[in-house]
Each structure stands twice: as C-alpha cells, then as structure tokens.
Amino acid sequence: FSTALRALRRHLPEELAAAAAGQEEELARLLPELAEGAPVTGGGRHDEEGMARLFELTARLLERVAARHTVVLVLEDLHWADASTRHLIAYLFRTLRTGRLVVLATYRSDDIHRRHPLRPLLAELDRLRTVRRLELGRFTRDEVGRQIAGILAHEPDPLQVDAIFERSDGNAFFVEELAVAAHEGSRTGLTDSLRDLLLVRVEALPESAQRVARIVAEGGSTVEYRLLAAVARLAEDDLIEALRSAVNAHILLPAPDGDGYRFRHSLVREAVGDDLLPGERSRLNRRYAEALDADPTLVPSAERVMRLASYWYHAQAPAQALPAVLDASVEARRRHAYSEQLRLLERAMELWDAAPDEVRATLRPVDCAEVYPPCGCDPATTPLRYLDLMAEAAVAGRLCGERERAMKITKRALRLLEDEQDTGTGSGASGRDPQRAAWFWTQRSLLVQAQGRGDGWRELGIAQELVRGLPPSQVHAEVLAMAANWSMLHSPGPDAMTAAERAVEYARMVGADEIELNARLTLGGLMVDAGQIDAGLAEMFQVRDLVVAQDRSTVVARSHVNLPSSLESVGRSRDALGILREGVDLTRRMGLLESEAWVWGNLAESLISLGRWDEALEAADRAGAPGRSPAPRGGAALKRAAVALARG
C-alpha cells in the first residue's frame, strides 16, 4: 500500500495532498512522506482503535482520489502478505462504494495450502458481489514458445520448446528460468536461485515427509501407492501422515485415478532428485526395481517394461539393467517412439562393457531389433553384438530426426569394422564383415542426403562394392533397392527401371518382404515416369494398401510421399490430397518426423496446383518448421516462393 500511495503522490501530488488534508499524521503510518514539514505530535494510536481509524482514512483517501481519476491499485503476491495487509484489504473490499477504483490482487494458488492464512480472506472475498475471481491457466506449448522467443530474442528450437514446456508445466516463471539456464549452458538446466526456490518448501516439511518426497522423486511421474509403500518401508500410519503433510504443503498431489501420488510441479521433482546423493539415488532405484521384480502388479502392465528399465539403469546395476533396457527399446520401437528408443539404445551401449560376459552371452539380436540381418546367421542362436545395438540406434536416430547422433553412431560403427578387419578379429576368414559394413554405408548415404551434405551416391557405391560377388542376402537386396531409389530420384530411365526390377527379384529371392515392397514402390514410380501410368499407379496403390495394413512404418512413409508425387506429376492433384492428408496422420502417429516434413511439402505442392494458396502456405510452413532437415526446408521455401510469384 505504501508503494501504491507513493505512486499516487508522484503522479497526482495535488489531488493526494487535498484528499489527505487534516489526516497527514495518521496516514503517515502508511506513507511517512505525507507528514514531511508537519510537526509530529505522536498522537497516532497503535491499538485496535487506531488501526481501524487508519483503515477508514485509507478508504476515504482512495475514494476521494478516485472521484476525479480512474485508479487501479495492483497488489501482487498476496500469498506473502502479512496480517495487517490482509485486514486492510478485507476492509477496503467491504467498504469501498464510490469512485472509479479497481483493486487487482494476484496470488499463486499453488502456494495456498490448507492452513495458509490467506484462505479465510479468499473465502470472505468470494462472497462479495463486487469481487470477481479470474483463474489464469498455465501456458500452452505455443505460448511457451512465444515467451522463450521473447526472452532469447530469436526463434527457439522446437525441441528446446518441447523440453522446457514439459519441465515447466507451463508455469511462466519456470519457463523464464529454464530458458535463461539453457542459454547460459547450465549443466542441469536449473539455476541455483531456481533450485533453492523450489527446495525451500520441501525442506520446511517434517523429516518423514521429506523422505517420502525424495522416494517419490525417483519413482517416476506418478508413483502408485502400493509401490511407494513397498519402497518406503514405513508403517502405514506413518506413511499416510507423511503423505498428508506433503499434500497439504502443495508439494505432492494425489494421482487423478486416486491410485498414487505425483509432484504438483515436475520441476520440484527434478530439484528434489538433483539434491539426492549419488549413493542415495542408486539405492532408491534398486529398491524400486526389486519391488517391481517381486510383484509386477505394482504398476500398470503397459508401464512395467519401461519403468523397470529406468529403475535398474539408475540403480547402476549393469547385469540387470542391460537386458531390461533392451526390452524397453523393443517396446519403444513397437510404439514408434523412436526418440525414446534411441535414448534407451544409447544407454544399452553405455552398459555393454560393464555388464558381465555371461549376461551378454544370453542376449540375441531379436532381443534388440530386426532392422538389419545379422549376416545370414540365425538371430535366435547368434549372440548379440555391440554393432547390432549401433545399427538399431542409427535407424532410430534417423527416424526421429536426430541425424547428427545417428551419423556419429554410423561413423563409429564403420571404424569398429575397419579395426576388426585390420586385426583379423571380424567374422570370416579374412577378418572382414562386408555385409555389416555395406549396411552401415547405406545408412550413411541416407544421413548424408538428409543433412544436405551430398547426394549419397558415393556411400551407396561403396556399399555396392562390398556386396558384389557375395551370396544373395537381405543386405544385398537392401543395397540394390536403395540404389534403384537413388536412380529414380536422380537419373530416371531404362537403367533405373532395370535396377528396380533386379531389386524386387533379389528381395523375393531372400524373403525380404519389406525391402521388396520398397523396391516395388520405386518400380511403380519409374513406370509412371516412363508413361506406363495406369500400371505404375496400380503397383504403388497396392504397395500403399499392403504397408498400411501391415503397419510397416518406413514403407508407409515412402508410399505417402512417392504415390502422391506420382499422382501430382500426371495432373491428379485432388487424388493426391486425400493420400497426403492420410500421410500426415500416419507419419505423425508413427513418430516419423522427417517423413512428415516431406508429406507436408508434397501437400503444399498439390494445394498450389489447385490454387488454394493460403492452405499451401500453411503446409509449407509445416514442412519447413525449425528442426526439419535442409532438404524439406529448402523445398518449403520454394513452395512459398511459388505462391508469392503466383500472387504477383
């Protein structure tokens, strides 16, 4: 209030002086400057009667000033107000009746626990018809993105926006702190001031409640009550009392389904987790893992594999963590969660050397994935190799848009294969592993093209040389299919058609269904280019129907890029639109960010052909959004240029 009165005195000195005339000494308890130059008699009373008199004078002062001017009195952070301030606010809201006066008071509802002294005042104000309560929701992801852009003075990376939005829960203050921390390169992403602020309320809890909060912090976003009880190892009454303290303090919340507890703010959970000692964290995670191993019903069945992998990994127990993490990576791939799969496979590579030999000996390639064949060996009996993990991680990285990480993994794999050749420790009499090397060169070709660092033909040429003269294999079929696809894009013609037909034949010979479908898609596109329009489109439509029905994600993506492109090339733009709309939904559901960008680009092209320019610009913006690779972003720029040209 003193600050507000000073602002009035600064902007309306004459009006304030007139309104306070005769009561300067009493009002000087709020604003000493009013008594400047006047004799101080000490007549102001400081008992309840004096306080009531001060409240009355303050109300009349505001009414007099507001009689001639609109006055907005802003009181921020009411949750920190002392008792005198709360009493004065209550008095003003009850008695102010005249004048153009608005009192705007803000408070953080998260800080108002059940015994907070502001609660009685809020209940009283809610009964007054002159009071209106406005609930301000958390920021959406788009709002968080705009806030970060304002803080950093440039458009933020979409992945950074996603991370900050998830960690901040849309809290504007947390968004600002996290954005600044990320900009300054903070190791944990939390500034010291923010961490201290987040922990101060936790540290005010009773010790038993603090202990339970630390346990919940390591359990996941939500911890089921039975699992928490198994890990906490407290008497039930003591556990309930500790949870009640944490809930009343607005640190924890009951889960929406009523079966567990979670932190009100994910950042508080993060701060509590960061505050754990290294040994304390691993011990808690081991207890979580052991409890879940002993009773799998403690968590929902859909979450068990992922939760167990996380617990064993953070327990720093490689023997148990490596198999659990590989199981979780397979589950992530099944759900098309390629970013999560990449993170899990990187953990598996980290754990590989630390895991005992007898544990690694029990693992098989099928325990990891089936993205590339183990050189004709039976995956059910062939031991899993470190290179198998690298292969799966490279594909996951490429599919989720983490191209730099995928390229590093691919380069490292090729170096390992070269080392095996030099030392004679690889498979085969000469110490060479040409099929694995060829497969990694195909991945490198795709990554080089996606990053705009070349056309990828050199890498494909190396792969073709490596498999030349070898017995038929899935790797050989993959190399041929990719070479045919490259020719379709860069030099279509009879030679490309022959290459595609050979790839289809080779894939059928070795029973590589997915490679065959990819090659047939290429062949269909080449047939359309050669004038065999009906036959080529029929082939592509058939492949599209098969891969959608079989949920073959990578071929689904290609079919919804290449088929609409062929339709567009023969003037069937309207037919292309429906397939492209379907492609957007499918690639997004399957987590194929790169493919989704290409679909949006093709959609923009078909919309331009139909003269639907506003929709085309929207599609181009989606194709060229920050975080996309150079090729679709460049294509999006061309689409925007085409619309600008068409509009003059």
Side-chain angles (χ1 to χ4, degrees):
F1 276 99
S2 298
T3 302
L5 292 179
R6 285 191 179 94
L8 280 174
R9 187 169 184 263
R10 184 165 60 252
H11 294 288
L12 301 170
E14 295 179 1
E15 287 84 346
L16 185 65
Q23 286 87 37
E24 291 90 350
E25 185 177 351
E26 290 179 284
L27 286 169
R29 292 171 58 187
L30 273 178
L31 187 63
E33 293 92 324
L34 289 175
E36 289 177 0
V40 179
T41 63
R45 300 183 62 174
H46 293 271
D47 55 11
E48 290 186 8
E49 184 179 341
M51 183 67 73
R53 172 68 175 163
L54 177 62
F55 287 1
E56 171 66 19
L57 290 174
T58 303
R60 301 292 77 79
L61 175 70
L62 291 172
E63 282 187 337
R64 288 174 190 143
V65 176
R68 297 180 57 191
H69 302 275
T70 299
V71 177
V72 180
L73 176 63
V74 181
L75 305 171
E76 289 202 281
D77 295 325
L78 211 57
H79 48 280
W80 288 337
D82 58 18
S84 297
T85 300
R86 295 193 300 271
H87 294 326
L88 177 53
I89 291 171
Y91 182 85
L92 292 176
F93 274 91
R94 287 196 307 269
T95 60
L96 287 173
R97 290 292 181 268
T98 64
R100 292 174 292 177
L101 176 66
V102 175
V103 180
L104 177 63
T106 68
Y107 67 94
R108 287 204 299 267
S109 56
D110 285 352
D111 287 349
I112 309 302
H113 53 75
R114 293 180 181 179
R115 290 188 293 275
H116 196 285
L118 187 61
R119 274 189 177 275
L121 173 60
L122 296 175
E124 179 182 350
L125 296 180
D126 276 340
R127 291 193 292 269
L128 300 177
R129 288 186 295 176
T130 57
V131 174
R132 181 183 178 192
R133 182 195 291 264
L134 299 175
E135 297 284 349
L136 301 182
R138 302 179 185 277
F139 278 0
T140 64
R141 185 207 176 275
D142 288 343
E143 290 168 336
V144 167
R146 292 200 295 273
Q147 183 186 0
I148 297 172
I151 293 169
L152 302 181
H154 62 76
E155 197 65 29
D157 183 281
L159 296 178
Q160 183 187 48
V161 175
D162 290 340
I164 291 179
F165 174 62
E166 182 178 354
R167 295 173 69 198
S168 68
D169 293 327
N171 182 299
F173 172 71
F174 291 165
V175 170
E176 180 171 2
E177 290 288 328
L178 289 172
V180 172
H183 182 66
E184 295 176 350
S186 173
R187 181 182 64 82
T188 62
L190 293 178
T191 61
D192 291 339
S193 59
L194 178 57
R195 186 181 297 103
D196 292 343
L197 178 64
L198 294 170
L199 289 176
V200 67
R201 287 167 57 202
V202 178
E203 292 169 349
L205 294 172
E207 179 55 40
S208 61
Q210 290 188 50
R211 178 188 172 195
V212 169
R214 290 193 291 270
I215 294 173
V216 174
E218 284 302 297
S221 57
T222 299
V223 182
E224 295 74 10
Y225 176 76
R226 290 175 56 230
L227 177 60
L228 178 59
V231 175
R233 301 176 184 175
L234 292 172
E236 188 169 16
D237 288 346
D238 293 338
L239 176 58
I240 293 294
E241 188 58 35
L243 287 168
R244 185 179 299 279
S245 297
V247 169
N248 288 344
H250 280 210
I251 302 299
L252 298 180
L253 281 175
D257 60 5
D259 186 42
Y261 294 86
R262 63 179 178 85
F263 275 83
R264 178 177 289 271
H265 287 297
S266 59
L267 268 191
V268 178
R269 174 193 165 203
E270 189 175 327
V272 172
D274 285 346
D275 201 47
L276 293 172
L277 298 173
E280 185 180 18
R281 166 172 284 176
S282 59
R283 180 173 59 86
L284 284 175
N285 277 279
R286 177 176 284 276
R287 282 163 61 176
Y288 269 116
E290 290 172 345
L292 192 51
D293 265 339
D295 185 358
T297 67
L298 292 175
V299 303
S301 58
E303 298 180 17
R304 181 178 179 273
V305 172
M306 291 293 183
R307 297 272 289 273
L308 199 57
S310 177
Y311 294 149
W312 278 125
Y313 174 79
H314 288 106
Q316 299 181 2
Q320 295 89 347
L322 180 58
V325 166
L326 290 176
D327 287 343
S329 75
V330 174
E331 174 64 18
R333 185 186 75 244
R334 187 186 64 79
R335 294 188 288 104
H336 307 296
Y338 299 112
S339 293
E340 179 74 4
Q341 182 193 9
L342 175 59
R343 184 178 64 83
L344 288 163
L345 288 164
E346 288 176 332
R347 285 183 174 181
M349 289 188 282
E350 172 192 335
L351 293 163
W352 185 261
D353 288 335
D357 292 342
E358 56 270 24
V359 171
R360 293 202 303 266
T362 64
L363 302 174
R364 298 289 177 264
V366 291
D367 297 328
C368 173
E370 300 170 0
V371 297
Y372 85 124
C375 305
C377 305
D378 181 2
T381 58
T382 304
L384 180 71
R385 294 178 57 183
Y386 186 76
L387 281 163
D388 299 332
L389 299 181
M390 301 181 84
E392 178 73 355
V395 172
R398 178 168 56 78
L399 293 179
C400 73
E402 291 288 346
R403 295 171 291 276
E404 286 291 346
R405 287 160 70 184
M407 179 63 86
K408 288 179 180 178
I409 292 168
T410 302
K411 288 181 176 179
R412 174 62 178 157
L414 289 169
R415 283 198 296 270
L416 287 176
L417 286 164
E418 289 175 3
D419 291 343
E420 287 185 355
Q421 177 182 341
D422 293 340
T423 59
T425 58
S427 62
S430 65
R432 294 193 50 155
D433 201 341
Q435 291 194 54
R436 275 193 171 90
W439 186 90
F440 277 107
W441 278 109
T442 64
Q443 297 304 301
R444 186 162 174 174
S445 173
L446 292 171
L447 291 166
V448 164
Q449 294 176 69
Q451 292 172 305
R453 296 179 180 177
D455 62 10
W457 182 247
R458 170 183 167 273
E459 290 75 14
L460 275 179
I462 295 173
Q464 291 180 85
E465 285 299 319
L466 284 166
V467 297
R468 196 181 306 279
L470 294 179
S473 68
Q474 291 192 27
V475 172
H476 202 156
E478 176 79 357
V479 172
L480 291 173
M482 288 187 61
N485 182 55
W486 189 97
S487 297
M488 179 188 72
L489 296 173
H490 297 275
S491 58
D495 290 343
M497 183 91 74
T498 300
E501 290 170 343
R502 185 175 175 222
V504 172
E505 179 185 357
Y506 228 88
R508 286 174 177 166
M509 186 189 308
V510 297
D513 295 340
E514 188 159 317
I515 298 172
E516 179 192 339
L517 290 168
N518 249 321
R520 285 178 60 191
L521 198 59
T522 300
L523 180 60
L526 287 165
M527 291 168 69
V528 173
D529 287 341
Q532 304 173 40
I533 296 174
D534 292 340
L537 289 176
E539 180 81 349
M540 299 180 84
F541 269 109
Q542 187 177 23
V543 170
R544 192 279 307 262
D545 294 342
L546 283 171
V547 297
V548 170
Q550 298 171 10
D551 202 30
R552 295 181 182 270
S553 58
T554 54
V555 197
V556 162
R558 272 202 70 207
S559 68
H560 285 78
V561 172
N562 290 24
L563 174 55
S565 181
S566 292
L567 288 168
E568 178 67 28
S569 71
V570 296
R572 293 173 57 178
S573 302
R574 293 189 184 279
D575 293 337
L577 282 185
I579 298 171
L580 288 164
R581 299 284 187 195
E582 179 184 65
V584 167
D585 294 337
L586 286 169
T587 52
R588 183 176 295 162
R589 176 176 65 80
M590 294 178 172
L592 303 171
L593 303 180
E594 187 75 5
S595 299
E596 183 190 341
W598 285 110
V599 176
W600 279 115
N602 282 4
L603 180 59
E605 183 175 358
S606 292
L607 289 166
I608 290 171
S609 297
L610 296 170
R612 294 159 62 173
W613 293 338
D614 289 339
E615 294 175 73
L617 287 176
E618 181 182 350
D621 287 341
R622 299 290 190 104
R628 305 290 198 193
S629 67
R633 284 168 57 200
L638 289 174
K639 306 298 189 302
R640 287 191 289 266
V643 172
L645 180 62
R647 285 176 164 169

